[in-house]
């Protein structure tokens, strides 16, 4: 099943609407979707190395706009949705502690979340809820998401076929590591914040 999904993703990467699909995934991942756009960036760059920089640019721009959508969710829906979630889980005190941390380190927290496997959407929503300066948020998002996606594209562009062969040979292990890091990011948010 994993091999079929991988082959489907590689076929999608070569499809004429691949950039549109990447833009959509990058946008919604920044506000609500749990799967990062890297799962499309990797096969897209491997399938079309000459488009690596365009792929990274589209992922970056749409991710930042998606982050702004997440920011809007936090800014406009936190009182109606977010507060009741905090109360349900008994996390009002933790949220107050997080607010003071966020007011001091907000831009750095957004930058770290945008670059690492930590679920970025949590911090886009938190940025809106905690009224992080939108210009600071946008700058930190663009810098971190751009660094992540352009670095990934550069590595794939430079190492291309050997990386594809490595992925082809070790797909089950790599998929397992990917999901472990994704799960670890959610766990980190749960227990660190």
């Amino acid at each position: 099943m994993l091999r079929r999904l991988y082959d489907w993703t590689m076929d999608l990467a070569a499809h004429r609407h691949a950039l549109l699909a990447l833009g959509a995934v990058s946008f919604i991942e920044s506000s609500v979707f749990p799967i990062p756009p890297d799962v499309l960036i990797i096969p897209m760059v491997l399938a079309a190395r000459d488009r690596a920089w365009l792929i990274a640019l589209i992922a970056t721009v749409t991710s930042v706009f998606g982050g702004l959508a997440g920011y809007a969710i936090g800014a406009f829906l936190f009182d109606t949705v977010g507060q009741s979630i905090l109360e349900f889980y008994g996390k009002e005190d933790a949220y107050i502690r997080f607010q003071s941390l966020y007011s001091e380190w907000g831009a750095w927290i957004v930058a770290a979340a945008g670059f690492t496997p930590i679920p970025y959407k949590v911090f886009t929503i938190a940025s809106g809820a905690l009224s992080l300066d939108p210009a600071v948020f946008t700058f930190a998002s663009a810098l971190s998401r751009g660094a992540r996606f352009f670095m990934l594209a550069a590595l794939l562009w430079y190492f291309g076929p050997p990386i594809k062969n490595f992925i082809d040979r070790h797909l089950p292990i790599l998929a397992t590591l990917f999901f472990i890091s994704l799960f670890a990011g959610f766990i980190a948010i749960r227990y660190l914040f």
Side-chain angles (χ1 to χ4, degrees):
M1 182 176 109
L2 186 59
R3 176 61 58 185
R4 281 195 319 251
L5 181 60
Y6 174 72
D7 291 339
W8 176 82
T9 306
M10 287 300 285
D11 289 342
L12 174 63
H15 192 273
R16 64 187 176 106
H17 297 298
L19 293 174
L20 184 61
L22 173 64
V25 167
S26 295
F27 181 88
I28 62 172
E29 181 270 339
S30 295
S31 53
V32 294
F33 194 58
I35 306 298
D38 308 61
V39 299
L40 281 178
I41 293 171
I42 293 169
M44 287 178 71
V45 172
L46 292 175
R49 286 174 59 207
D50 59 318
R51 299 176 81 184
W53 315 122
L54 177 62
I55 291 166
L57 179 65
I58 288 172
T60 300
V61 170
T62 55
S63 181
V64 170
F65 279 114
L68 289 168
Y71 186 99
I73 290 169
F76 301 115
L77 297 177
F78 184 78
D79 290 338
T80 57
V81 178
Q83 193 63 41
S84 47
I85 292 171
L86 287 174
E87 289 169 5
F88 177 78
Y89 287 107
K91 294 291 186 180
E92 298 97 332
D93 292 338
Y95 181 71
I96 291 168
R97 287 191 306 274
F98 182 69
Q99 276 182 305
S100 72
L101 178 69
Y102 212 78
S103 67
E104 187 176 343
W105 297 97
W108 291 105
I109 292 170
V110 170
F115 190 76
T116 64
I118 295 172
Y120 178 59
K121 70 208 68 14
V122 172
F123 296 95
T124 65
I125 294 168
S127 295
L130 298 172
S131 302
L132 182 66
D133 182 326
V136 169
F137 170 79
T138 303
F139 179 75
S141 294
L143 187 66
S144 63
R145 296 307 260 184
R148 175 178 171 168
F149 299 144
F150 276 92
M151 186 174 77
L152 179 60
L155 289 170
L156 293 167
W157 176 82
Y158 185 77
F159 292 107
I163 285 183
K164 184 177 183 325
N165 293 336
F166 179 80
I167 291 170
D168 287 343
R169 282 193 322 272
H170 303 289
L171 182 62
I173 292 169
L174 294 171
T176 301
L177 291 173
F178 168 76
F179 284 110
I180 287 172
S181 69
L182 188 64
F183 183 70
F186 281 108
I187 295 297
I189 287 173
R190 170 88 167 99
Y191 292 104
L192 294 177
F193 302 108

